[in-house]
Amino acid sequence: MSTLAHTMMTAARQADAGLAGSGELDRYPYAEAPPADRVGASHWDGPDAELGRVGRRAAGSRGRGLHGQLVQQLGQMIVSGDLGADRPLVPEEIGQRFEVSRTVVRESLRVLEAKGLVSARPNVGTRVRPVSDWNLLDPDIIEWRAFGPQREDQRRELNELRWTIEPLAARLAAGHGRQDIQQRLTDMVEIMTHSLTQGDALTFARADTEFHALLIQAAGNRMLEHLSGIVSAALQVSGTPITSCDRPSESVISHHARINEALVSADPVGAESAMRQLLTVHPEVERVVPAPREH
């Protein structure tokens, strides 16, 4: 096993045990909600009951600060529809409900505004924006949609985008000959192979995600590279067959290896074809986006 493989597997085990590695945070944590009797009920009954309920059912977290927790909670509530379009968000009430400072609330709302989820205007206040205004390519919004009521639409849309992005990226990458990235791609295939034999699904998933991100980087197209977060977000959404890669298997590894071999051989057509085959390993995906006919 290579040093890189050992490092990734160690980091994966630490994260799985709740120990964040260097620069890593848990991806799905929530702040433990304060007891209901510590917050004035009058602020969260009636029209604000949805916000109160979500706060009360939030789970414990060790991986996010207050700012990140609040962004996560409010973002999920907006995306799920608990806070509908044009719903006013009163900073004082949010701060009281979640027991955070006005600074934390203000900064959290700014993050949500940057994602297109809310708008803040003088004399109007902060309100939830309609779906048409959201930045649907934002990785957080992709994640929130994938675990909310819009999960089926989100997964279908992710598949369709991947079918557009990744075969093209594979074709372009085969003509660039980036030796540094090529070695990393080879390393990722090795790590996936080793982690499969060890039954280490977490390391497998991380190597898989990095493989696809590196491939897009190798394409040498900055606009495509800007969209790499979409692919990473898709691969991190677990629990459904949104890609061929969410179930570690020898078949999946062989498809990755064929892509890698085509890149080494500078075979654009072979790389594109191998990527399309990878994306249709599961019948569920093939039904969503049929593979194009070979000419």
Side-chain angles (χ1 to χ4, degrees), residues 99-161:
E99 292 193 336
V100 294
S101 69
R102 295 180 64 179
T103 299
V104 169
V105 174
R106 183 170 60 251
E107 293 303 316
S108 298
L109 291 177
R110 285 179 179 172
V111 171
L112 296 176
E113 185 174 17
K115 296 177 184 293
L117 295 178
V118 305
S119 62
R121 298 178 182 175
N123 302 321
V124 175
T126 302
R127 291 182 175 272
V128 176
R129 298 171 71 174
V131 178
S132 58
D133 292 343
W134 299 355
N135 178 8
L136 296 178
L137 300 183
D138 182 281
D140 283 333
I141 295 181
I142 289 174
E143 176 189 304
W144 297 334
R145 290 185 72 207
F147 288 94
Q150 303 174 45
R151 62 178 65 87
E152 295 304 323
D153 287 341
Q154 178 65 98
R155 287 160 184 160
R156 173 182 55 78
E157 291 165 4
L158 282 172
N159 280 321
E160 292 170 351
L161 271 176

Side-chain angles (χ1 to χ4, degrees), residues 175-192:
H176 275 263
R178 290 281 304 274
Q179 294 301 318
D180 55 336
I181 295 181
Q182 186 60 63
Q183 182 57 53
R184 290 285 293 176
L185 287 167
T186 301
D187 290 340
M188 291 308 109
V189 175
E190 176 190 343
I191 291 169
M192 292 169 70

Side-chain angles (χ1 to χ4, degrees), residues 23 39-40 54 59 111 118 141 144 155 159 164 167 172 184 189 198 209 228 231 235 239 266:
V39 179
V54 172
V111 171
V118 305
I141 295 181
W144 297 334
R155 287 160 184 160
N159 280 321
T164 301
L172 295 174
R184 290 285 293 176
V189 175
Q198 297 294 310
T209 298
S228 64
V231 175
L235 289 165

Side-chain angles (χ1 to χ4, degrees), residues 17-31:
L19 301 175
S22 177
E24 296 176 351
L25 294 177
D26 295 336
R27 193 146 177 81
Y28 309 111
Y30 302 89

Side-chain angles (χ1 to χ4, degrees), residues 170-251:
R171 172 185 281 273
L172 295 174
H176 275 263
R178 290 281 304 274
Q179 294 301 318
D180 55 336
I181 295 181
Q182 186 60 63
Q183 182 57 53
R184 290 285 293 176
L185 287 167
T186 301
D187 290 340
M188 291 308 109
V189 175
E190 176 190 343
I191 291 169
M192 292 169 70
T193 302
H194 184 80
S195 55
L196 177 64
T197 62
Q198 297 294 310
D200 187 349
L202 184 57
T203 299
F204 185 100
R206 291 188 171 190
D208 180 25
T209 298
E210 184 164 351
F211 180 95
H212 290 266
L214 285 167
L215 187 143
I216 293 175
Q217 183 181 348
N221 183 304
R222 294 192 179 219
M223 295 187 74
L224 273 180
E225 188 173 346
H226 186 70
L227 298 176
S228 64
I230 298 171
V231 175
S232 296
L235 289 165
Q236 290 168 2
V237 174
S238 60
T240 61
I242 64 163
T243 71
S244 62
C245 314
D246 62 345
R247 297 170 184 171
S249 69
E250 292 183 2
S251 174

